[in-house]
Amino acid sequence: MNNAEPQFARETRREFVKQTLTAAAALALAEVTLPLNAAGAAKNSPASAPWYRRTLRWGQTNITEMDATRYDIAWWREHWKRTQVQGVIINAGGMFAYYPSRFPLHHRAEFLGDRDLYGELARAAHEDGLAVLARMDSSRAREDVYRAHPDWFSADASGRPYRSGELIYACVNGGYYREFLPEVLREIIERSHPQGVTDNSWSGITRDRICHCSNCTKKFRDETGHDLPRARNWDDPVYREWIRWSYACRLEVWDLNNRTTRDAGGPDCLWIGMNGGGISGQSASFRDCKAICERAEIIMFDHQARSDTAGFQDNGAAGKLFHGLLGWNKLIPESMAMYQAGRPGFRLASKPEPEARLWALEGFAGGIQPWWHHVGAYQDDRRMFRTIEPLNRWHKENESFLVDREPVANVGVVWAQQNTDFYGRDNPEELVDLPYRGFVTALIRARIPWLPVHADHIEREASKLTVLVLPNLASMSESQCESVRRFVQRGGSVVATGESSLCDESGQLRSDFGLADVFGVHVPAGQRRDSWETKVAEATATNHTYLRLTPELGAQVYGPRTGKEPSITGARHPVLSGFEETDLLPFGGTLRPLAVDAGCEVLATFVPALPYMPPESVWMREPRTNIPALVTRTLSEGGRIVFIPADLDRRFARDNLPDHGNLLANAVRWAAREDLPLAVEGRGFVDCHLYRQAGRLILHLVNLTNAGTWRAAVDELIPIGPLSVRVKLPEGARVEGARLLVCGHKLAAKAKHGCLNFELKSILDHEVAVIEFTLRR
């Protein structure tokens, strides 16, 4: 170790820091308590609650190295007031230190000199009554640090360090993460007493690279008994063990940093990292969403923009998913870029106001708190400063309705990160994300309230639900399958698609569906199993295939006419409602034969591929098969089962064919016996989120109807309406009043048959209806 550096493990110095700083940090926390409350804590959050329960609006100026020469602190303090934030995130250290660190290897930002820019900003924020999070970036360091401590850094199998431009990736198991950074955290807390520390790039190299440094080599062998895998090979049990081990290593970093900050700054001084809103991104970074949320008091979301395929609704869905893990009594502030984030990205240009607005409003609807984000303290494009003011003004005025609430939905969409890892493998977007997204979009489009449910939490959530949706949830453990069985035995219904339950929790194929007894469908004995590569190829391909609906209602019959064709009698199953004028639906995928139990009803079968060109060749060589594409059954326990081997959810996410979305929504309505807590009728693409607080129901409606719904960026909002709304009331509820939080009007609503009915004349971007009620005794 370099003798010029501090002795990191020296216990006497640590004790001194602990004894002197804990009191100082407690004093700093006490100093911000009164102003922070005065700035407007949520009515449901008591004044005595810690900062991470009552800081609802955040701001961040991501400091550049040049900003040390031009940061106008007075201007930004006024901006904090204008935007009514209660907390700020301030760059402190990591790759670049924005204060004069005592550690020679903690690189000071260029142009900083001896200025303590971070400290100046932290003092200003505390004087203004704001909570402060010191922002770190731990992932990389400069060449001089590598030369001093090469064992701190990640390396490939040949010993070469993994680089990112001029910077080098540190290893999460090396001294940089395990010794150096904890001491930097202590120094920051000693100097400025922040309420906590956040880090947007805390989890080291991503899983597309295996670190072969000496620390990982030894640690993996000591803890697993194996040598590190040399390359990616999902069929190798040692590689799969490395995946699990890598997750565990990141959790060790999370726990170490929290011990450090709490030891230095008191029990409420938290290290909270940052986390993305997409499960695939979290998996690529070895961030276990469920385990992190089990540890966290607050989640800082680094989820700044939408993709064209995911849409604005992805933000509301991400908020609900993480709240399902974290709890609805905790906060999830989200970094909302005021610049043009996404593709294309322009850090110094303003995002169009309607684009930023709809992303934020979807976040509010999903239980997310606003956190404006700029890159650089000086902006030539000043339009970006105006975007957040009206949003935060509305948020502050209505904050008591936006936190401490429980979602109302009886449809649970089940997910598990293991499915992303061990079934999705190197292509989770096609195999896992698209099926989930497609099914969720079908529910949103149909205005059916839904909840994300982790597969380990089915038992916990079961009493609230009547339907579980398994969107190609292929990788399921035996205990997760058993949770679904118990749900069905209690009268619950299931809608499942694709290969749900066909693999175990490690992604290994079972001989049959793990839930074959629930689905009533089996893989035939001896059927050739597809390789993972074949699955990906078929998932990504679009073939000229169809689904044939049964019974057929049309008069046309393929083949020579005999004059003895049977007449069409009977009606179709409710799942096929709306398709009375067709016997054929577009598909695009591929299906294999499956065995169907007696008592099941096959509602659609597979029509194999036929030529698309030339037009003269477009006729079905095999117009009918016995390969099931959609199977239903009704159980004696009262539940209803819909199994859809056809990957309509994935194809709806990618192709946006209305037939696919309508069929998925029909399946859920039938499985729920049409007993849903909400119905919204009228034109437009509206995302509906229903919540309950003590004595009230809260309904968010976000208008996603615009020219840029499926292609960013939106630059115009298009009003819709009227909409007819029916909200199911709690049993014994007597309505005391209803009002709209956006337009400010009282609602002329009528309660009838346990529901409240009202009309919304127009919605521009969003509306929030609040229904106050008392329960009859």
Side-chain angles (χ1 to χ4, degrees):
M1 183 171 291
N2 190 331
N3 291 330
E5 291 188 32
Q7 182 66 39
F8 295 131
R10 185 178 299 162
E11 290 300 325
T12 55
R13 193 188 62 73
R14 289 190 175 184
E15 277 304 307
F16 171 78
V17 170
K18 179 178 178 181
Q19 293 171 10
T20 60
L21 297 187
T22 300
L27 177 61
L29 283 167
E31 289 173 351
V32 302
T33 297
L34 181 58
L36 187 59
N37 291 339
K43 293 179 181 178
N44 292 346
S45 299
S48 60
W51 65 268
Y52 47 81
R53 288 285 194 276
R54 53 190 169 86
T55 308
L56 303 184
R57 288 171 298 282
W58 292 82
Q60 179 186 2
T61 306
N62 205 316
I63 305 174
T64 69
E65 291 186 280
M66 177 60 71
D67 287 340
T69 68
R70 62 185 184 182
Y71 207 118
D72 187 343
I73 295 178
W75 188 93
W76 282 100
R77 290 179 80 166
E78 287 302 312
H79 193 63
W80 295 344
K81 293 181 175 68
R82 283 193 300 272
T83 58
Q84 305 189 61
V85 298
Q86 299 167 292
V88 288
I89 295 95
I90 305 173
N91 294 61
M95 286 192 295
F96 304 98
Y98 286 93
Y99 67 95
S101 174
R102 68 173 176 265
F103 300 123
L105 293 182
H106 194 194
H107 175 75
R108 295 188 191 182
E110 192 174 357
F111 312 116
L112 182 72
D114 290 326
R115 184 181 183 185
D116 184 2
L117 179 57
Y118 161 73
E120 294 171 29
L121 285 163
R123 280 193 299 277
H126 279 156
E127 288 171 4
D128 289 350
L130 305 181
V132 172
L133 290 180
R135 186 256 193 192
M136 301 279 289
D137 190 323
S138 302
S139 60
R140 290 153 286 179
R142 300 171 70 87
E143 187 76 31
D144 59 333
V145 186
Y146 173 72
R147 287 197 300 268
H149 294 282
D151 58 309
W152 285 4
F153 291 84
S154 58
D156 64 18
S158 300
R160 295 185 297 266
Y162 287 117
R163 294 179 177 270
S164 174
E166 297 179 353
L167 301 173
I168 304 171
Y169 283 101
C171 175
V172 295
N173 293 316
Y176 185 78
Y177 271 88
R178 303 294 177 122
E179 299 173 27
F180 179 70
L181 286 177
E183 292 305 311
V184 170
L185 294 177
R186 290 179 180 277
E187 179 183 53
I188 291 169
I189 294 169
E190 174 184 354
R191 294 179 63 93
S192 61
H193 320 303
Q195 276 57 61
V197 180
T198 190
D199 191 325
N200 73 312
S201 188
W202 58 273
S203 50
I205 60 172
T206 51
R207 78 176 190 197
D208 56 341
R209 290 167 287 190
I210 300 173
C211 180
H212 291 268
C213 75
S214 58
N215 300 294
C216 286
T217 299
K218 182 178 186 303
K219 183 176 170 64
F220 187 72
R221 185 184 298 118
D222 289 347
E223 295 179 358
T224 70
H226 301 292
D227 290 332
L228 284 165
R230 303 289 291 181
R232 280 184 290 178
N233 180 2
W234 291 93
D235 294 323
D236 177 6
V238 174
Y239 181 78
R240 298 195 299 272
E241 183 68 20
W242 174 77
I243 292 287
R244 296 188 183 92
W245 175 83
S246 297
Y247 272 110
C249 292
R250 273 66 179 181
L251 291 175
E252 290 174 4
V253 169
W254 184 284
D255 292 341
L256 169 64
N257 288 341
N258 267 286
R259 288 195 302 271
T260 301
T261 56
R262 284 175 162 137
D263 182 55
D268 288 331
C269 186
L270 308 181
W271 184 92
I272 47 184
M274 288 187 194
N275 287 278
I279 301 304
S280 289
Q282 290 284 98
S283 293
S285 299
F286 293 119
R287 299 175 181 179
D288 185 331
C289 299
K290 178 172 172 283
I292 287 171
C293 287
E294 288 169 348
R295 290 162 161 76
E297 295 291 347
I298 184 173
I299 289 289
M300 304 302 287
F301 241 6
D302 191 8
H303 188 50
Q304 297 183 0
R306 65 173 174 138
S307 67
D308 289 340
T309 56
F312 293 108
Q313 61 271 23
D314 179 58
N315 207 19
K320 291 198 294 189
L321 186 147
F322 270 79
H323 270 300
L325 300 173
L326 183 69
W328 285 91
N329 62 325
K330 297 181 181 180
L331 303 179
I332 305 180
E334 176 184 76
S335 177
M336 297 175 176
M338 299 295 103
Y339 52 86
Q340 180 53 43
R343 296 182 182 177
F346 295 96
R347 297 270 200 175
L348 304 181
S350 179
K351 182 184 290 187
E353 192 273 344
E355 178 78 17
R357 185 175 186 80
L358 286 177
W359 183 253
L361 293 176
E362 265 290 353
F364 296 174
I368 286 171
Q369 289 72 52
W371 155 16
W372 53 253
H373 183 261
H374 299 280
V375 175
Y378 178 84
Q379 301 294 338
D380 291 293
D381 190 342
R382 295 171 297 283
R383 296 173 296 177
M384 66 178 74
F385 295 131
R386 295 198 305 267
T387 302
I388 197 65
E389 285 189 47
L391 286 166
N392 272 11
R393 189 182 311 118
W394 183 88
H395 189 277
K396 182 179 186 301
E397 291 170 354
N398 298 285
E399 62 186 22
S400 62
F401 303 104
L402 305 178
V403 294
D404 298 322
R405 56 192 188 177
E406 292 286 334
V408 177
N410 61 346
V411 176
V413 182
V414 186
W415 68 281
Q417 198 160 343
Q418 72 205 25
N419 197 43
T420 300
D421 289 324
F422 298 111
Y423 177 72
R425 297 187 176 186
D426 297 323
N427 200 331
E429 171 72 10
E430 291 288 341
L431 295 182
V432 178
D433 295 352
L434 286 182
Y436 183 91
R437 187 182 304 149
F439 216 121
V440 164
T441 302
L443 296 174
I444 292 172
R445 184 170 169 269
R447 291 97 179 248
I448 297 174
W450 63 281
L451 283 176
V453 176
H454 192 282
D456 287 342
H457 294 162
I458 292 173
E459 296 279 0
R460 187 187 75 184
E461 304 294 332
S463 62
K464 308 171 188 175
L465 304 173
T466 57
V467 180
L468 291 177
V469 175
L470 314 181
N472 204 34
L473 188 66
S475 181
M476 298 182 68
S477 68
E478 288 295 337
S479 63
Q480 290 166 348
C481 289
E482 188 57 35
S483 292
V484 175
R485 283 192 193 91
R486 284 193 289 270
F487 179 79
V488 170
Q489 289 165 1
R490 292 191 290 263
S493 298
V494 173
V495 180
T497 69
E499 295 191 318
S500 291
S501 79
L502 192 55
C503 303
D504 66 15
E505 65 271 30
S506 297
Q508 301 304 291
L509 278 170
R510 293 182 166 105
S511 59
D512 197 359
F513 296 104
L515 291 169
D517 56 326
V518 173
F519 300 159
V521 175
H522 305 265
V523 176
Q527 180 171 286
R528 182 180 62 84
R529 313 309 292 274
D530 295 329
S531 66
W532 183 83
E533 291 75 14
T534 300
K535 293 181 192 297
V536 172
E538 292 186 349
T540 55
T542 299
N543 303 302
H544 195 204
T545 60
Y546 292 83
L547 303 182
R548 183 165 295 283
L549 308 183
T550 60
E552 296 178 53
L553 300 182
Q556 186 176 17
V557 177
Y558 278 84
R561 291 186 176 275
T562 66
K564 299 180 180 179
E565 287 78 23
S567 59
I568 303 299
T569 60
R572 283 218 178 117
H573 195 284
V575 170
L576 302 181
S577 176
F579 300 114
E580 290 79 13
E581 294 186 60
T582 182
D583 294 334
L584 210 63
L585 294 182
F587 177 33
T590 300
L591 290 175
R592 304 282 188 272
L594 294 171
V596 179
D597 288 345
C600 294
E601 188 174 356
V602 177
L603 304 186
T605 55
F606 177 60
V607 177
L610 58 143
Y612 187 82
M613 291 290 288
E616 292 80 359
S617 298
V618 181
W619 53 274
M620 298 181 190
R621 276 64 172 174
E622 193 175 1
R624 294 172 185 80
T625 71
N626 292 322
I627 300 175
L630 194 162
V631 181
T632 65
R633 65 190 302 216
T634 300
L635 304 178
S636 59
E637 295 88 349
R640 293 175 170 182
I641 309 298
V642 184
F643 181 55
I644 310 174
D647 60 341
L648 298 179
D649 42 11
R650 171 167 39 233
R651 298 192 178 276
F652 185 52
R654 189 168 56 222
D655 303 331
N656 201 32
L657 290 179
D659 285 350
H660 294 169
N662 291 340
L663 194 58
L664 294 171
N666 282 353
V668 171
R669 288 194 185 98
W670 179 77
R673 298 181 183 271
E674 300 288 344
D675 185 12
L676 298 168
L678 177 71
V680 179
E681 301 293 336
R683 294 183 179 275
F685 184 30
V686 186
D687 193 3
C688 305
H689 302 252
L690 184 61
Y691 296 94
R692 181 171 178 173
Q693 285 181 340
R696 62 170 65 122
L697 292 172
I698 301 165
L699 173 62
H700 287 256
L701 301 104
V702 185
N703 176 17
L704 303 180
T705 311
N706 54 71
T709 297
W710 302 114
R711 184 183 179 190
V714 170
D715 66 351
E716 181 184 12
L717 299 175
I718 300 173
I720 61 170
L723 297 176
S724 297
V725 180
R726 184 179 75 251
V727 179
K728 187 176 182 180
L729 297 170
E731 187 174 353
R734 180 176 59 200
V735 176
E736 302 294 341
R739 57 193 169 110
L740 301 175
L741 298 183
V742 178
C743 73
H745 297 163
K746 290 185 177 180
L747 275 174
K750 295 181 179 180
K752 186 177 181 181
H753 304 307
C755 295
L756 190 72
N757 300 277
F758 56 90
E759 183 175 282
L760 300 175
K761 293 183 179 180
S762 179
I763 298 178
L764 179 61
D765 49 8
H766 77 134
E767 188 55 88
V768 181
V770 177
I771 302 165
E772 308 280 355
F773 65 86
T774 56
L775 295 176
R776 298 184 182 90
R777 295 183 178 179

